[in-house]
């Protein structure tokens, strides 16, 4: 997958190109193209914003540098996302759908946003990561990139499927432990040490059920409605938790 990012602060995305996603880029699984919008400004001192017509606080990003930046990557007709608190909420379904694209272009707004003509002309999809406002679109873009990229085959190392993790299974993730077995009087649950994979699986399933029911009852109810077929042992565990 190729991911283009238009931003006023490309240096912020060093966090994205490190670790797992950076390794995926080295392997050619992902391709990142971070574009500094200021480089396409025809204003003095590479200015990329101006006061809004009609008055109001803050500044609005100019249309011309953004148009020029998008034209430089031949974005006409391609999938373009604009990170915005007024957009559709990023969730499991939309992340899966976005992961099926070969190329995505993301525009990071700043200040009071961008000139509306940018959104209209380029037919941009507005996407939000939650009902709150941040100082810019860079952090939301990083969240989107990480959530989408990890679903691309080959990005995550090992045999574990991203779709089996945490919320994608319909439940929150069970507790995790590592060495030492005992630390400051706190011991690792014995079931995780006995090598019985069936019992370990049922323990993890039970812990996920209990945690989800306690922390995210909405997800728990959804799981009860849509969990599909369970084994006899898993059904017994579920009944135990429901008592």
């Amino acid at each position: 997958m190729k991911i283009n990012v238009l931003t006023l602060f490309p240096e912020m995305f060093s966090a994205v190109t490190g670790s797992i996603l950076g390794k995926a880029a080295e392997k050619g699984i992902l391709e990142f193209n971070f574009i500094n919008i200021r480089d396409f400004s025809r204003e003095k001192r590479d200015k990329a914003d101006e006061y809004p017509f009609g008055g109001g606080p803050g500044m609005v990003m100019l249309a011309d540098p953004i148009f020029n930046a998008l034209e430089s990557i031949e974005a006409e007709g391609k999938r373009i996302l604009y990170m915005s608190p007024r957009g559709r909420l990023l969730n499991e379904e939309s992340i899966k759908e976005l992961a099926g694209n070969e190329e995505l272009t993301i525009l990071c707004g700043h200040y009071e946003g961008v000139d509306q003509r940018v959104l209209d002309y380029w037919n941009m999809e507005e996407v939000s990561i939650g009902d709150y406002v941040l100082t810019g679109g860079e952090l939301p873009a990083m969240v989107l990139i990480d959530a989408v990229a990890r679903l691309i085959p080959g990005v995550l190392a090992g045999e574990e499927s991203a779709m089996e993790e945490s919320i994608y299974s319909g439940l929150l993730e069970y507790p995790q432990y590592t060495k030492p077995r005992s630390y400051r009087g706190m011991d690792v649950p014995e079931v995780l040490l006995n090598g019985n994979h069936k019992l370990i699986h049922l323990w993890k399933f039970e812990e996920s059920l209990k945690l989800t029911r306690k922390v995210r009852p909405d997800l728990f109810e959804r799981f009860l409605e849509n969990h599909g077929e369970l084994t006899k042992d898993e059904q017994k565990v579920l009944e135990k938790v429901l008592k």
Side-chain angles (χ1 to χ4, degrees):
M1 171 183 276
K2 182 177 182 179
I3 301 175
N4 306 301
V5 180
L6 278 68
T7 172
L8 295 175
F9 303 98
E11 64 276 8
M12 291 182 65
F13 288 88
S14 60
V16 171
T17 55
S19 189
I20 293 174
L21 301 193
K23 292 178 181 177
E26 291 175 359
K27 296 176 183 177
I29 300 171
L30 300 175
E31 180 183 351
F32 295 114
N33 181 23
F34 300 110
I35 302 161
N36 190 336
I37 296 171
R38 295 186 190 278
D39 292 342
F40 296 88
S41 174
R42 288 184 276 216
E43 301 289 322
K44 292 181 179 180
R45 297 184 296 278
D46 300 330
K47 187 175 182 181
D49 60 287
E50 189 52 87
Y51 292 106
F53 282 125
M59 308 288 277
V60 175
M61 290 175 63
L62 294 165
D64 189 57
I66 300 174
F67 266 71
N68 295 336
L70 288 168
E71 288 168 350
S72 75
I73 58 171
E74 300 180 343
E76 189 80 44
K78 295 181 180 179
R79 191 84 179 266
I80 309 176
L81 311 177
Y82 172 56
M83 307 311 299
S84 165
R86 69 185 187 187
R88 72 181 167 113
L89 192 62
L90 189 67
N91 57 24
E92 177 185 351
E93 181 180 352
S94 59
I95 290 168
K96 290 179 182 177
E97 189 274 324
L98 289 170
N101 289 265
E102 293 184 2
E103 182 175 352
L104 292 175
T105 296
I106 305 171
L107 171 61
C108 302
H110 236 271
Y111 314 119
E112 295 302 313
V114 306
D115 190 304
Q116 182 64 35
R117 290 167 292 190
V118 172
L119 309 182
D120 295 341
Y121 180 89
W122 293 94
N123 192 30
M124 292 189 181
E125 303 172 42
E126 298 188 55
V127 180
S128 169
I129 63 168
D131 295 329
Y132 45 87
V133 179
L134 299 174
T135 55
E138 284 76 17
L139 291 176
M142 291 183 213
V143 170
L144 184 148
I145 290 169
D146 191 272
V148 170
R150 67 195 310 277
L151 298 186
I152 305 299
V155 170
L156 294 184
E159 299 178 357
E160 185 175 17
S161 169
M163 297 309 297
E164 294 175 355
E165 294 183 8
S166 188
I167 200 168
Y168 291 113
S169 67
L171 298 170
L172 299 181
E173 191 173 38
Y174 47 82
Q176 299 277 12
Y177 298 89
T178 187
K179 295 180 179 180
R181 292 188 177 191
S182 182
Y183 182 72
R184 299 196 180 193
M186 297 176 287
D187 297 328
V188 174
E190 190 64 30
V191 66
L192 300 178
L193 307 174
N194 62 22
N196 188 319
H197 296 296
K198 178 180 177 180
L199 292 181
I200 291 173
H201 166 73
L202 292 175
W203 179 87
K204 290 178 176 180
F205 181 54
E206 181 176 351
E207 292 300 310
S208 287
L209 286 171
K210 291 191 294 187
L211 182 62
T212 306
R213 189 181 192 186
K214 178 181 179 181
V215 179
R216 289 290 304 274
D218 57 320
L219 287 181
F220 186 76
E221 290 301 320
R222 189 189 309 170
F223 174 81
L224 294 180
E225 296 173 0
N226 305 293
H227 61 66
E229 186 175 354
L230 300 176
T231 66
K232 290 183 180 180
D233 290 325
E234 288 172 338
Q235 186 62 42
K236 289 180 182 179
V237 170
L238 177 58
E239 292 171 0
K240 174 185 174 182
V241 171
L242 289 173
K243 287 182 179 179

